[in-house]
């Protein structure tokens, strides 16, 4: 049969020519600041109570910096598209998706990851509760789950089941540990309020 | 009939740790504090390197095409490493459809790796991929299994599209079509008062486990080392060694890393079975570059990753009598096994004739190659989910036509412990807790109160309608298949280590193995018990961590290893106590004299008598003509909003003839998780979506391949364990990992049908579109 | 298809003026970034015509605020959806907006995504997202019109691009007669939602559904405070209970005199190339009571001019879902 190439378009991962070389901008004006815009820059942030400084490019996301540069592998990157919640960390106590958070923005911020067990009492209490309530199976999504849970208990120490579900609704778990996660959060909440710790 | 099987394992009146509800998972804390290292987390220093070469794949954008040319010059000019089929030993073909790990001249599924590139950072790998130019000549493609059987369908293989071949170590060469026939099917239909004939089918699915299937490989001192996120280390070791024509011991799969838990694995579900292709390509890249290579798949890579759950289309014809007797069971399963898949379906077919005792049976399964995906494989179970969906929806249809309660029909015809024999081979079940398991769930679910009749919802309130549904469970799981090995080492300081070729990919194996090891040694805590999994330099092949076999297999290995330990250790202790070795037993953290329990010494004291660590080795060979199957039931109540198609699961009750529960918390988590994490999604949301025009994969991401969120969690999940001591086991255990999933889909489908006036759902997934179709159907009949 | 972000430059201007100047200078090569939740996705997926070489970060220009005064609500363009959802005034006086903001995406994304981003986000069409050469990506075809259009394509027909606008907050903004303040090199302009999002248009040679030019930045959204007797509600039908876009959604803002509707805006979201006012249904309900019967009729009328796609997979079921969403929303007003 004829070997005519059709115009069917590829899905992705097509070998396309590399047309985004840095210097080849449509506007050729070498305006001041252009080279700096591509340059790496220093950011300073406090992660789990410890000061860090890192050299980052604009393209670097916070999850990559945490894992590769700071060696904090607790935060995982299951999808890298902001769809699964697995990379959730707290930035100034707010849960964000570190795969979609540019590292340059972390400058001057407080970051909390699962390595912050000794630094954050709520996180530690949740981690203990996680073990007791068997809220983790394969474990890969759980750092993200824990960070969402920590943020929840920080802003709402006594959440209802519906409030728990809402707060955790951006974290996927293929092992399906959600019911145990709810129980773990309830357990931690009661411990923090004055049960045995 | 035949005498009962001898009890192999340890049977106690009371266990300290087995089944103990307070035992927690041993590796959770390390995992949730960032100490445990997953393969994806491995950095060069973990393996004694100063850097990695990161690998990525150039993938085919076409579902079927001839490769005319691969131009790697631009990538190589920039210093990137490239591996194509030319770099591989071409004589070595692998797989059910023999092929080279990278294609020579043709691609057969979209996303098929065409070349591998290596660069010094993950960023650069992607730049490198873009510099490879591949010229394709697209060919017509076919995505559907029935389409691929038509005479004018594009041929994917020279001999056509019927997938054959492969070799089952237990039964020999696997034929392309499977036929099971006994009795007289025509007579069976003549006898029947009613016959149902229908087509029921399932969808292509993918695992979407959170942990990508990462891999690290390097050559050192003539040996090939792997760090691998996989469940078949020893098999992979053999396969790779065979491929490179190396001694098996020169290929090392290692899991030791710094820290207590060391190298851990995320969820596998069968997607982390031996994908030998990746292992070979990474090893070749490592050899070519002289460096350690890390392949960390992106989510896109992981979605296109070879194994998909194979969809089955079942042409079903069942017949029965008005008194509820099931007289004729006929089904043809047409299975889409993807481009490189081999014959599948034996498990699905076996579910049909094992689940029910029907005198007249004709079952066929035909596996068909298509361009829909690369390889077909297990997705938690291996065809049982699909088989059970087709079977259990058809059973409901037959029962409905006969006007019999679906639970009554199943109770009347299901296989129970009284006829727990494979009707084709005559092999007997090791143990079987039916009908007790089924009845246990039925009663916990209060079926009799809730079932109001065919097409009659169990409750209606405004736009919300409730329905109840059931599925039987009978699946071949927990087999004590060979090889079964394991070693237990006791050190003079009292520390115990269990070495096993099995692994723990989240199901809790490590904890179960530790529990059984401790229990067998009479210890009451896991404190001094460690488990080393899947490290080929120190563990021995104990088969795959799949088929829900690992708990049983580990249990058998452990009790045998303890017998061997006793042979080495008890003489030393006996001498010290002035008794004979056969007088001694483990228990209560001691070694004591059976007839005089006050006489003995503590475990620690006994260990201190050892001059050096001792190792007990255990192996077990299954007696012939034995099968292992797990029975049970699944009951679901759903609530449907007919205005918006929203479905909520109110209650889910399942049961398992589980033998003995070893890791209690782990088992409960599996029961819940199998439903929430996978079962619901498979039934109501998930589907690999292919573009009809280009064959493209439209949803290789977590957004559009929808696994359930916490919002989908049912209100109540309960379960019933039918416990008894299964004779071929360490402690009575069978297996549960896959059974928590099998049968969920039909139970939900049958419940939805009950809520929606009896509208039959015969295709997965059942989405809001299907619900609204049901609503429209009800409206046309004046039911709404 | 990539995973890592390509080499890209980043400016972090300190004033809005500076941001506009940068955008104007670098034109085709630059895009502004606020939450970045949509833009980074497109960049990672290597959607060819959507990849800037330069990013201009506007997340720190003081554009995150929710200010309420008697006659209007002013929300800065980079205000996060979670801030909007949790704001007490928004919850009580602009309820549908708070509900819409709280149902968008996921909690983490709501902490990052912005109100302007909700309006300006690219359509979620899997053909576009996987780099097919469609109208929005340098080609001359809409794959959705003939292919798999079950979730993400219009049930009201279309031209050129059939993908729906997926914004929940945008849907509510239409229902509240919001206005959009846009800043460009020539100064500020204010648009109604209809003017800002008129449907498929060609802007700077690109197929879009909003009129924002390449060198313009959305600064603020202004919502006139509705009268005291206003009730509003938002309902979203989605596949899962979180994360997913709307299969159909409805925002309704009504003034009630007792149980009689004196005025109502009903907007359908996730079903058309822009949020769509159901004018016929509004006309029907005006002057009537919010009875079950009237609500049902309104839902039928709201979808009476639906033109679901019949090629490819088809999407007629979303017409039914949209009716259901109308019913659920109107019931919440009663």
């Amino acid at each position: 049969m004829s070997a005519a190439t059709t115009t069917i378009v590829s899905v992705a991962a097509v070998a396309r020519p590399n047309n985004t070389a840095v210097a080849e901008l449509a506007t050729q004006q070498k305006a001041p600041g252009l080279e700096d815009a591509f340059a790496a820059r220093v950011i300073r942030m406090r992660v789990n109570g410890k000061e860090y400084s890192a050299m980052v490019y604009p393209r670097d996301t916070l999850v990559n910096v945490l894992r590769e540069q700071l060696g904090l592998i607790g935060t995982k990157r299951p999808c890298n598209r902001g769809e699964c919640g697995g990379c959730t960390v707290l930035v100034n106590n707010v849960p964000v998706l570190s795969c979609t958070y540019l590292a340059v923005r972390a400058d001057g911020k407080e970051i909390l990851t699962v390595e912050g067990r000794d630094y954050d009492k709520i996180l530690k209490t949740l981690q203990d509760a996680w073990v007791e309530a068997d809220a983790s199976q394969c474990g890969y999504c759980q750092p993200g789950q824990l960070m969402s849970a920590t943020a929840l208990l920080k802003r709402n120490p006594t959440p209802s089941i519906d409030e728990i579900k809402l707060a955790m609704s951006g974290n996927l778990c293929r092992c399906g540990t959600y019911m145990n996660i709810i129980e773990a959060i309830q357990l931690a909440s009661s411990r923090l309020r004055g049960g045995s710790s | 009939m035949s005498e009962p099987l001898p009890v192999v394992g340890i049977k106690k009146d009371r266990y300290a740790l087995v089944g103990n509800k307070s035992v927690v998972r041993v590796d959770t804390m390390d995992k949730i504090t960032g100490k445990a290292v997953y393969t994806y987390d491995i950095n060069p220093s973990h393996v004694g390197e100063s850097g990695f070469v990161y690998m990525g794949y150039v993938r085919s954008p076409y579902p079927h095409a001839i490769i005319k040319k691969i131009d790697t010059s631009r990538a190589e000019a920039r210093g990137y490493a490239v591996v194509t089929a030319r770099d591989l030993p071409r004589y070595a073909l692998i797989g059910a459809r023999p092929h080279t790990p990278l294609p020579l001249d043709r691609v057969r599924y979209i996303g098929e790796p065409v070349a591998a590139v290596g660069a010094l950072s993950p960023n650069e790998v992607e730049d490198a991929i873009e510099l490879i130019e591949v010229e394709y000549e697209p060919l017509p493609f076919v995505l559907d299994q029935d389409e691929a059987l038509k005479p004018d369908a594009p041929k994917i293989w020279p001999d056509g599209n019927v997938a054959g071949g492969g070799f089952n170590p237990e039964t020999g060469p696997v034929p392309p079509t499977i036929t099971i026939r006994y009795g007289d099917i025509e007579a069976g239909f003549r006898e029947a008062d009613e016959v149902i004939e229908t087509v029921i089918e399932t969808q292509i699915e993918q695992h979407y486990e959170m942990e990508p299937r990462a891999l690290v490989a390097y050559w050192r001192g003539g040996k090939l080392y792997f760090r691998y996120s996989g469940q078949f280390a020893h098999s992979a070791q053999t396969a790779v060694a065979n491929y490179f024509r190396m001694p098996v011991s020169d290929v090392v799969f290692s899991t030791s890393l710094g820290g207590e838990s060391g190298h851990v694995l995320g969820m596998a579900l069968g997607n982390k079975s031996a994908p030998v292709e990746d292992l070979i390509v990474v090893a070749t890249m490592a050899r070519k570059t002289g460096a350690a290579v890390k392949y960390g798949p992106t989510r896109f890579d992981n979605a296109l990753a070879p194994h998909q759950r194979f969809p089955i289309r079942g042409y079903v014809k069942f017949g029965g009598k008005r008194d509820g007797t099931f007289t004729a069971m006929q089904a043809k399963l047409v299975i889409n096994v993807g481009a490189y898949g081999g014959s599948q379906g034996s498990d699905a077919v076996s579910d049909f004739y094992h689940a029910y005792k029907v005198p007249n049976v004709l079952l066929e399964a035909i596996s068909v190659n298509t361009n829909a995906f690369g390889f077909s494989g297990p997705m938690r179970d291996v065809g049982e989910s699909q088989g059970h969906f087709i079977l259990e929806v058809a059973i409901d249809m037959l029962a409905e036509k006969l006007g019999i309660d679906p639970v009554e029909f199943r109770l009347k015809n299901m296989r129970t412990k009284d006829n727990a024999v494979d009707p084709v081979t005559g092999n007997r079940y090791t143990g079987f807790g039916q009908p007790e398991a089924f009845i246990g769930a039925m009663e916990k679910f209060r079926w009799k109160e809730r079932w109001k009749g065919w097409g009659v919802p169990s409750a209606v309130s405004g736009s919300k309608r409730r329905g109840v549904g059931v599925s039987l469970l009978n699946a071949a799981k927990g087999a004590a298949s060979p090889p079964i090995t394991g070693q237990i080492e006791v050190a003079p300081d009292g520390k115990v280590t269990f070495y096993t070729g099995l692994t723990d990919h989240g199901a809790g194996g490590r904890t179960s193995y530790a529990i059984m090891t401790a229990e067998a040694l009479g210890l009451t805590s896991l404190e001094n018990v460690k488990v080393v999994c899947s490290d080929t330099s120190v563990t021995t092949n104990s088969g795959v961590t799949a088929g829900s076999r690992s708990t049983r297999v580990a249990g058998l290995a452990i009790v045998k290893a303890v017998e061997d330990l006793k042979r080495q250790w008890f003489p030393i202790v006996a001498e010290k106590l002035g008794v004979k070795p056969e007088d001694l037993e483990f228990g209560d953290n001691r070694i004591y004299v059976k007839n005089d329990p006050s006489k003995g010494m503590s475990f620690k004291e006994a260990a201190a008598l050892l001059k050096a660590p001792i190792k007990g080795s255990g192996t077990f060979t299954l007696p012939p003509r034995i099968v292992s199957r797990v029975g049970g039931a699944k009951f679901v109540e759903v609530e449907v909003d007919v205005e918006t198609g929203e479905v909520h699961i109110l209650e889910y009750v399942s049961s398992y003839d589980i033998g003995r529960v070893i890791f209690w918390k782990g088992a409960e988590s599996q029961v819940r998780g199998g439903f929430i994490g996978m079962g619901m999604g498979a039934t109501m949301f998930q589907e690999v979506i292919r573009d009809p025009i280009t064959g493209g994969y439209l949803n290789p991401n977590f957004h559009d391949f929808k696994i359930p969120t916490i919002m989908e969690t049912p209100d109540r999940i309960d379960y019933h364990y039918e416990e008894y001591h299964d004779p071929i086991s360490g402690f009575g255990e069978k297996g549960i990992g896959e059974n928590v999933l099998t049968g969920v889909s039909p139970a939900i489908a049958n419940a939805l049908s009950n809520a929606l006036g009896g509208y039959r759902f015969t295709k997965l997934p059942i989405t809001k579109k299907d619900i609204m179709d049901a609503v429209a159907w009800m409206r046309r009949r004046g039911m709404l | 298809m990539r995973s890592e972000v390509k080499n890209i430059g980043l400016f972090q201007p300190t004033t809005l003026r500076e941001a506009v100047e940068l955008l104007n200078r670098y034109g085709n090569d630059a895009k502004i970034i606020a939450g970045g939740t949509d833009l980074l996705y497109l960049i990672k997926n290597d959607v060819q015509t959507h990849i800037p070489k330069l990013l201009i970060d506007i997340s720190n220009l003081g554009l995150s605020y929710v200010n309420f005064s008697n006659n209007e609500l002013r929300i800065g363009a980079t205000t996060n959806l979670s801030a909007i959802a949790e704001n007490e005034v928004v919850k009580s006086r602009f309820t549908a907006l708070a509900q819409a903001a709280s149902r968008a995406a996921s909690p983490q994304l709501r902490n990052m995504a912005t109100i302007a981003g909700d309006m300006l986000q690219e359509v979620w069409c899997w053909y576009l997202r996987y780099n097919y050469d469609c109208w929005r990506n340098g080609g001359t075809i809409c794959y959705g019109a003939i292919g798999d259009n079950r979730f993400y394509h219009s049930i009201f027909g279309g031209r050129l691009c059939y993908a729906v606008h997926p914004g929940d907050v945008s849907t509510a903004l239409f229902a509240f007669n919001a206005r959009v303040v846009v800043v460009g090199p020539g100064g500020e302009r204010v648009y109604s939602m209809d003017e800002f999002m008129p449907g498929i248009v060609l802007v700077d040679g690109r197929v879009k559904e909003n009129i924002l030019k390449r060198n313009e930045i959305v600064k603020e959204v202004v919502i006139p405070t509705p009268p005291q007797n206003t009730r509003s509600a938002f309902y979203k039908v989605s596949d899962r209970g979180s994360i997913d876009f709307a299969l159909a959604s409805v925002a309704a803002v009504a003034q009630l005199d007792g149980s009689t509707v004196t005025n109502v805006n009903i907007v359908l979201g996730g079903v058309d190339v822009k949020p769509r006012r159901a004018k016929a249904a509004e006309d029907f309900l005006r002057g009537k009571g919010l009875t079950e019967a009237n609500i049902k009729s309104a839902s039928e009328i709201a979808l009476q001019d639906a033109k679901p796609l019949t090629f490819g997979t088809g999407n007629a079921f979303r017409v039914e879902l949209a009716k259901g969403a109308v019913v659920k929303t109107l019931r919440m007003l009663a």
Side-chain angles (χ1 to χ4, degrees), chain C residues 1-13:
Chain C
M1 176 62 45
R2 294 178 70 97
S3 186
E4 314 296 336
V5 178
K6 273 195 209 196
N7 210 352
I8 204 164
L10 177 76
F11 285 104
Q12 291 185 297

Side-chain angles (χ1 to χ4, degrees), chain B residues 64-77:
Chain B
H64 198 195
I66 293 174
I67 300 172
K68 304 197 76 180
K69 190 166 136 192
I70 304 179
D71 183 353
T72 62
S73 56
R74 287 172 66 210
E76 285 171 318

Side-chain angles (χ1 to χ4, degrees), chain B residues 26-27 227 233-234 253-257 259-264 485-489 495-504 509-514 517 528-542 545 554 557-558 615:
Chain B
V26 300
D27 49 7
R227 302 292 176 144
H234 282 275
F253 280 76
S254 183
T255 53
S256 63
L257 284 174
E260 269 301 307
S261 293
H263 178 195
V264 297
T485 69
Q487 300 81 35
I488 298 179
E489 183 182 86
K495 291 217 169 19
V496 177
T497 308
F498 173 54
Y499 293 91
T500 175
L502 300 166
T503 186
D504 178 347
R510 217 183 228 113
T511 309
S512 300
Y513 313 154
T517 302
N528 290 318
V529 178
K530 191 175 116 149
V531 178
V532 173
C533 286
S534 241
D535 188 324
T536 61
S537 51
V538 295
T539 61
T540 56
N541 189 4
S542 199
T545 310
I558 285 166
K615 211 177 212 180

Side-chain angles (χ1 to χ4, degrees), chain B residues 107 119 131 252 257 388 465 476 483 494 508 586 601 616 620 665 675 717:
Chain B
V107 288
L131 293 176
V252 181
L257 284 174
H388 271 64
R465 301 170 69 90
F586 288 111
M601 64 175 77
F620 180 78
K665 280 194 208 255
F675 183 86
I717 293 189

Side-chain angles (χ1 to χ4, degrees), chain C:
Chain C
M1 176 62 45
R2 294 178 70 97
S3 186
E4 314 296 336
V5 178
K6 273 195 209 196
N7 210 352
I8 204 164
L10 177 76
F11 285 104
Q12 291 185 297
T14 49
T15 66
L16 186 54
R17 179 107 170 266
E18 207 185 319
V20 174
E21 274 172 10
L22 283 166
L23 195 58
N24 195 37
R25 175 180 310 147
Y26 290 109
N28 262 341
D29 292 323
K31 274 188 188 266
I32 56 154
I33 182 167
T37 56
D38 195 44
L39 183 58
L40 283 177
Y41 199 110
L42 294 163
I43 290 174
K44 286 178 186 175
N45 269 26
D46 216 19
V47 182
Q48 291 293 294
T49 53
H50 286 62
I51 305 175
K53 302 185 185 76
L54 292 164
L55 296 173
I56 299 168
D57 186 353
I58 61 164
S59 61
N60 249 330
L61 297 181
L63 294 175
S64 304
Y65 53 83
V66 179
N67 289 338
F68 177 67
S69 69
N70 271 328
N71 60 351
E72 62 192 15
L73 182 72
R74 303 188 83 99
I75 304 179
T78 64
T79 311
N80 296 129
L81 300 188
S82 50
I84 297 171
E86 287 156 22
N87 184 290
E88 290 304 325
V89 170
V90 179
K91 288 198 304 203
S92 61
R93 299 294 300 272
F94 304 84
T95 314
L97 177 60
Q99 289 172 339
S102 71
R103 269 293 267 136
S106 71
Q108 296 93 317
L109 284 169
R110 294 195 279 275
N111 290 335
M112 303 165 79
T114 65
I115 187 169
D118 185 280
M119 292 190 286
L120 299 170
Q121 65 184 304
E122 185 51 276
V123 293
W124 190 274
C125 163
W126 38 38
Y127 294 102
L128 172 66
R129 298 265 163 176
Y130 286 101
N131 226 347
Y132 281 69
D133 289 357
C134 67
W135 282 112
R136 288 186 187 243
N137 199 19
T140 52
I141 183 175
C142 174
Y143 287 91
I146 50 172
D148 196 315
N149 45 44
R150 66 184 96 175
F151 295 142
Y152 299 122
H153 297 83
S154 169
I155 58 172
F156 283 98
R159 61 182 196 98
L160 303 183
C161 173
Y162 283 69
V164 299
H165 186 272
D168 294 323
V169 166
S170 304
T171 306
L173 291 177
F174 267 82
F176 280 106
N177 299 321
R179 297 190 299 278
V180 183
V181 179
V182 171
V183 168
E188 265 188 32
R189 286 195 57 178
V190 183
Y191 299 98
S192 70
M193 289 302 292
D194 269 311
E195 289 167 338
F196 188 68
M197 253 196 248
I200 296 296
V201 284
L202 276 176
V203 179
D204 299 320
R206 305 175 61 118
V207 172
K208 297 174 62 170
E209 74 292 346
N210 65 67
I211 49 107
L212 193 71
K213 296 210 218 2
R214 187 169 283 149
N215 56 2
E216 293 178 326
I217 300 180
V218 171
K219 178 183 165 197
E220 190 180 49
V221 174
V222 183
I223 307 174
T225 305
Q228 285 286 354
N229 65 340
T230 301
R231 304 195 58 164
S232 66
F234 174 85
Y235 193 92
K236 174 174 172 180
V237 178
S238 57
D239 238 341
R240 297 172 293 182
S242 176
I243 303 178
D244 291 333
F245 288 111
L247 294 171
S249 67
V250 172
V253 178
Q255 281 80 53
L256 296 159
D257 184 5
S259 71
T260 305
V261 175
T262 54
N263 200 23
V264 66
N265 288 351
I266 302 174
V267 181
L268 307 175
V271 289
D272 195 0
V273 298
K274 51 170 276 184
R276 186 188 181 96
R277 287 277 296 273
K279 294 221 165 71
E282 293 170 359
D283 292 340
F284 168 80
L285 270 183
R286 204 169 290 118
K288 294 198 177 66
L290 269 179
T291 64
E292 213 24 58
N294 287 339
I295 287 174
K296 284 245 157 62
S297 300
S299 73
E300 294 290 330
I301 294 168
L303 275 303
Q304 69 194 1
D305 52 348
K307 281 200 284 292
L309 290 165
T310 48
F311 285 112
T313 53
N315 56 15
F317 75 102
R318 288 192 12 252
V319 176
E320 298 307 309
L321 297 184
K323 288 184 194 170
V326 172
V327 167
K328 297 285 195 218
T329 313
L330 292 178
R331 271 201 206 116
M332 288 199 271
L333 300 180

Side-chain angles (χ1 to χ4, degrees), chain B residues 176-246:
Chain B
T177 55
I178 298 167
T179 307
I180 301 284
R181 184 202 301 264
Y182 53 85
D184 179 345
I185 193 75
E186 301 304 326
F189 284 121
R190 281 195 302 272
E191 250 184 271
D193 294 318
E194 299 284 1
V195 169
I196 59 114
E197 195 164 359
T198 183
V199 182
I200 303 175
E201 60 185 290
T202 66
Q203 77 280 47
I204 307 173
E205 282 197 87
Q206 222 272 330
H207 308 66
Y208 279 84
E209 74 281 20
M210 302 304 284
E211 188 214 14
R213 208 172 62 171
L215 194 50
V216 172
Y218 52 95
W219 296 82
R220 203 174 276 165
K223 293 193 175 193
L224 173 57
Y225 292 86
F226 283 103
R227 302 292 176 144
Y228 138 100
S229 181
Q231 52 190 131
F232 288 28
H234 282 275
S235 315
Q237 179 196 31
T238 308
V240 172
N242 287 345
Y243 186 86
F244 286 110
R245 305 217 169 149
M246 294 167 65

